[in-house]
């Protein structure tokens, strides 16, 4: 492909990659990374003549080549940066750079010239005018995205949470398997693995079972016992080799169970939240799009309120008037705008006419997809899975679906007061209705607070009182110790 079309081959590909091709005739190196940065690629440059560099898929592969190993202090002390630096070239180790997603480069003895071949804004598409037709279009794209990812000569599975996205994925696979006769489709796909957290608020295994019962297939429930994994935590972090705000234990254990069971490829639902509006904190940005239109405002507010679990916090939320929610949102936005003494420079794409034409919700989702949440999530799941020798394929990250997502308006994502409504309405014919139209969201997270108060209490208390902890230069030991003890002692 590269020999035939050079860098133009990249726009013909549909999937994930990080690659380097050496042209021994021209003495030239070609680098490329997939459109959204699903696969990792790091490099370090060396000064002097001639120009030289080293590259790899892990930072630790490059560490022996550095003159001095120093942490990037600005990242490790800034929580906000910790959640957003994956979309930049910065890494936690000084001197190591991340090759940017959606780019390619030619390198020779004069240096590395990086160019962008993909920006989603340049690939927006004409979409049907009516919501019903958009639903049909999305269904067509999503089923085909799942179909081509079912081409495999090894066992396929799904990490099933019981939420909308992973449930829609496995139900699409079931529908495809029952209808399609293509020889390349793997028939051995009926393997659902569910992370269970018995007795915690994070446990969604009952919802996952409804999905597999509906499909008439078995599911493997992996009970996540933190005590069994806590001694492996340091090794997990070595494999993960980055910083994040949740424990990797559940994900490492889940994908490890897949591998032990002989499942080495999973087709998972990552990316839908960022593309189609699955996070509660994003919904209220659509208030600016709704304006003063009461029916449209209600659509936004209902999606927001109903996404919270039906517990005490939701009752308190529902007791507030919608007017207060609106007032609080605009107050926060105004305060946030005034808090910048000097406004940070806007990314280049924000100055483009195509970006300015997006509605407010889509602007927020575009940033989440390309800069902040999704790049970090893609990195995390690549680490969790590849540490266990498992490959994740993501149909929602099919470039056609990403382009489609930013070509439809906010009302197609919150239609009827439901988050991700277009996914629900497109996939409802193939899945249990109570899953397709379930509004509350938990997500695949670690019940870390409950663990800290329960089975891991002793582990954390011992850790923060160790001598090495008190002299660790990567954190503020006294402050962190206070915070940990406060979490352990405060009632739920």
């Amino acid at each position: 492909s590269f020999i035939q079309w050079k860098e133009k081959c990249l726009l013909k590909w549909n999937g994930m990659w990080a690659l380097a091709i050496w042209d021994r005739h021209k003495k030239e190196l070609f680098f490329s990374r997939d459109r959204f940065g699903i696969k990792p690629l790091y490099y370090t440059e060396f000064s002097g003549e001639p120009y030289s560099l080293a590259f790899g898929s892990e930072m630790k592969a490059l560490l022996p080549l550095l003159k001095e190993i120093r942490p990037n202090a600005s990242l490790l002390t800034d929580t906000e940066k910790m959640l957003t630096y994956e979309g930049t070239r910065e890494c936690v180790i000084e001197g190591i750079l991340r090759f940017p997603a959606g780019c390619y480069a030619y390198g020779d003895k004069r240096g590395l010239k990086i160019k962008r071949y993909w920006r989603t804004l340049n690939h927006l598409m004409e979409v049907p005018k009516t919501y019903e037709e958009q639903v049909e279009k999305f269904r067509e794209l999503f089923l085909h995205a799942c179909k081509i990812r079912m081409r495999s000569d090894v066992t396929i599975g799904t990490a099933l949470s019981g939420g909308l996205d992973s449930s829609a994925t496995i139900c699409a696979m079931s529908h495809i398997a029952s209808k399609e006769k293509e020889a390349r489709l793997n028939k051995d796909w009926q393997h659902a693995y569910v992370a269970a957290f018995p007795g915690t608020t994070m446990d969604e295994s009952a919802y996952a079972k409804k999905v597999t019962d509906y499909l008439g297939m078995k599911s493997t429930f992996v009970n996540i016992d933190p005590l069994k994994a806590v001694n492996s935590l340091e090794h997990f972090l070595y494999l993960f080799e980055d910083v994040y705000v949740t424990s990797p234990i559940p994900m490492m254990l889940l994908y490890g169970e897949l591998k032990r069971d002989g499942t080495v490829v999973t087709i998972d639902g990552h990316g839908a939240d960022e593309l189609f509006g699955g996070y509660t904190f994003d919904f209220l940005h659509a208030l600016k799009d709704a304006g003063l239109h009461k029916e449209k405002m209600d659509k936004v507010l209902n999606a927001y309120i109903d996404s919270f679990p039906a517990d005490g916090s939701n009752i308190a939320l529902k007791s507030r008037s919608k007017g207060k929610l609106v007032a609080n949102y605009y107050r926060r936005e105004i305060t946030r705008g005034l808090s910048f003494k000097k406004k940070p420079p806007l990314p280049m794409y924000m100055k483009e006419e195509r970006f300015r034409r997006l509605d407010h919700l889509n602007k927020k989702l575009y940033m989440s997809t390309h800069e902040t949440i999704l790049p970090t999530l893609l990195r995390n799941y690549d680490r969790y899975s590849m540490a266990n020798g498992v490959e994740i394929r993501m149909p929602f990250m099919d470039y056609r679906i990403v382009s489609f997502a930013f070509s439809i308006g906010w009302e197609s994502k919150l239609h009827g007061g439901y988050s991700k409504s277009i996914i629900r309405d497109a996939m409802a014919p193939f899945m249990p209705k109570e899953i397709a139209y379930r509004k509350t969201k938990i997500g695949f997270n670690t019940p870390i607070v409950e663990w800290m108060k329960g089975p891991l209490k002793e582990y954390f208390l011992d850790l923060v009182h160790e001598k090495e902890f008190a002299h660790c230069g990567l954190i503020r030991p006294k402050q962190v110790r206070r915070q940990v003890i406060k979490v352990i002692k405060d009632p739920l």
Side-chain angles (χ1 to χ4, degrees):
S1 184
F2 177 71
I3 290 169
Q4 181 71 31
W5 295 296
K6 302 301 276 187
E7 68 273 6
K8 289 183 176 141
C9 68
L10 303 173
L11 291 172
K12 297 177 183 291
W13 299 350
N14 186 343
M16 56 188 182
W17 65 87
L19 60 86
I21 299 172
W22 173 247
D23 186 328
R24 58 194 171 95
H25 299 294
K26 291 184 178 179
K27 306 295 184 190
E28 186 177 67
L29 185 69
F30 177 76
F31 272 139
S32 174
R33 195 165 172 225
D34 64 69
R35 293 170 178 84
F36 311 111
I38 299 173
K39 302 306 289 185
L41 181 57
Y42 298 98
Y43 68 100
T44 184
E45 298 174 295
F46 304 100
S47 57
E49 294 289 340
Y51 170 82
S52 60
L53 62 78
F55 61 92
S57 58
E58 293 182 289
M59 287 182 281
K60 63 176 73 71
L62 304 176
L63 292 183
L65 304 175
L66 300 180
K67 288 181 181 177
E68 184 181 359
I69 299 174
R70 293 194 307 270
N72 186 335
S74 68
L75 290 181
L76 295 171
T77 56
D78 188 331
T79 307
E80 191 170 331
K81 264 192 176 183
M82 194 186 296
L83 297 172
T84 60
Y85 72 89
E86 188 63 29
T88 73
R89 293 173 70 193
E90 277 194 274
C91 294
V92 291
I93 304 295
E94 284 189 12
I96 296 179
L97 298 170
R98 179 183 297 100
F99 192 84
C103 290
Y104 70 88
Y106 285 100
D108 55 26
K109 61 184 179 182
R110 291 165 297 189
L112 197 64
K113 296 168 187 166
I114 298 176
K115 294 186 178 180
R116 179 163 294 281
Y117 69 87
W118 178 268
R119 177 168 279 128
T120 302
L121 285 172
N122 299 338
H123 296 273
L124 302 183
M125 59 175 70
E126 284 291 324
V127 295
K129 300 296 182 189
T130 69
Y131 175 70
E132 291 72 23
E133 290 173 308
Q134 290 175 10
V135 167
E136 292 291 331
K137 180 65 176 176
F138 173 79
R139 183 186 297 125
E140 174 193 328
L141 287 172
F142 186 64
L143 289 175
H144 192 261
C146 290
K147 176 184 169 181
I148 61 176
R149 284 161 180 81
M150 289 177 73
R151 294 171 181 167
S152 170
D153 56 2
V154 295
T155 301
I156 299 174
T158 302
L160 180 63
S161 71
L164 173 66
D165 310 332
S166 61
S167 299
T169 301
I170 198 168
C171 289
M173 292 164 65
S174 176
H175 174 74
I176 291 161
S178 69
K179 299 291 183 186
E180 296 284 348
K181 305 301 180 190
E182 185 183 317
R184 294 176 67 189
L185 294 184
N186 194 317
K187 306 296 189 291
D188 188 13
W189 60 270
Q190 302 94 333
H191 303 275
Y193 294 83
V194 183
F197 306 94
T200 75
T201 56
M202 295 292 178
D203 189 46
E204 287 194 289
S205 55
Y207 294 109
K209 189 173 186 305
K210 285 184 180 181
V211 176
T212 51
D213 286 350
Y214 178 86
L215 298 176
M217 59 184 279
K218 290 182 180 178
S219 48
T220 301
F221 291 92
V222 182
N223 286 330
I224 307 298
D225 182 351
L227 285 175
K228 288 183 179 177
V230 72
N231 291 331
S232 302
L233 183 57
E234 286 186 21
H235 181 59
F236 290 166
L237 295 174
Y238 168 77
L239 295 171
F240 190 77
E241 70 165 23
D242 239 304
V243 289
Y244 193 52
V245 293
T246 61
S247 160
I249 286 175
M251 301 76 166
M252 287 287 199
L253 293 183
L254 182 67
Y255 288 103
E257 186 65 28
L258 266 86
K259 182 60 180 287
R260 279 189 293 276
D261 206 26
T263 302
V264 291
V265 169
T266 68
I267 302 182
D268 294 355
H270 308 303
D273 285 324
E274 294 79 11
L275 294 170
F276 293 98
Y279 295 123
T280 304
F281 48 78
D282 284 336
F283 299 167
L284 293 182
H285 288 281
L287 284 172
K288 295 175 183 174
D289 301 309
L292 298 176
H293 193 291
K294 185 180 184 307
E295 187 179 329
K296 291 182 178 182
M297 289 176 72
D298 280 344
K299 188 186 299 183
V300 176
L301 294 167
N302 289 338
Y304 177 81
I305 292 169
D306 293 342
S307 67
F308 289 91
D311 56 18
S313 64
N314 197 20
I315 293 168
L317 182 67
K318 286 190 173 183
S319 68
R320 278 190 235 163
S321 72
K322 288 180 178 177
K324 279 189 178 178
L325 278 175
V326 175
N328 287 342
Y329 168 73
Y330 280 108
R331 190 180 300 119
R332 280 197 305 272
E333 286 292 288
I334 292 167
T335 304
R336 193 171 67 88
L338 295 174
S339 66
F340 291 116
K341 291 178 183 175
K342 183 180 179 183
K343 288 192 176 181
L346 293 175
M348 287 300 294
Y349 69 81
M350 285 192 179
K351 300 172 185 176
E352 294 180 19
E353 180 60 28
R354 288 187 186 94
F355 182 80
R356 290 201 292 265
R357 284 203 298 263
L358 295 178
D359 57 50
H360 289 89
L361 177 61
N362 272 317
K363 283 176 182 171
K364 175 65 176 173
L365 297 180
Y366 194 92
M367 293 168 65
S368 296
T369 296
H370 297 90
E371 277 191 63
T372 56
I373 300 173
L374 188 57
T376 304
L377 183 148
L378 296 177
R379 174 201 70 194
N380 292 357
Y381 277 91
D382 184 72
R383 301 279 169 79
Y384 302 144
S385 59
M386 293 307 293
N388 290 291
V390 174
E391 173 190 320
I392 299 179
R393 298 178 181 179
M394 306 177 186
F396 283 106
M397 295 311 301
D398 187 301
Y399 72 91
R400 298 166 300 171
I401 289 178
V402 176
S403 293
F404 176 83
F406 292 104
S407 301
I408 59 174
W410 72 273
E411 289 189 86
S412 297
K413 300 182 179 184
L414 297 178
H415 192 268
Y418 284 88
S419 64
K420 297 181 287 191
S421 56
I422 198 162
I423 301 176
R424 299 176 192 273
D425 290 334
M427 297 310 298
F430 312 126
M431 57 193 298
K433 294 295 184 287
E434 63 267 38
I435 302 297
Y437 293 105
R438 174 185 160 212
K439 283 193 168 187
T440 56
K441 179 178 179 60
I442 297 175
F444 187 12
N445 289 307
T446 303
I448 190 66
V449 173
E450 287 149 301
W451 285 356
M452 288 172 72
K453 292 178 181 297
L456 296 186
K457 178 178 178 180
E458 198 173 311
Y459 169 82
F460 276 101
L461 287 175
D462 287 347
L463 184 69
V464 298
H465 287 98
E466 284 180 357
K467 183 179 178 182
E468 291 88 346
F469 183 89
H471 294 93
C472 178
L474 301 176
I475 56 171
R476 299 183 180 92
K478 289 182 181 178
Q479 181 182 332
V480 174
R481 186 186 299 118
R482 282 197 302 271
Q483 290 171 330
V484 168
I485 291 172
K486 184 174 188 297
V487 169
I488 291 171
K489 291 188 174 180
D490 277 359
L492 280 170

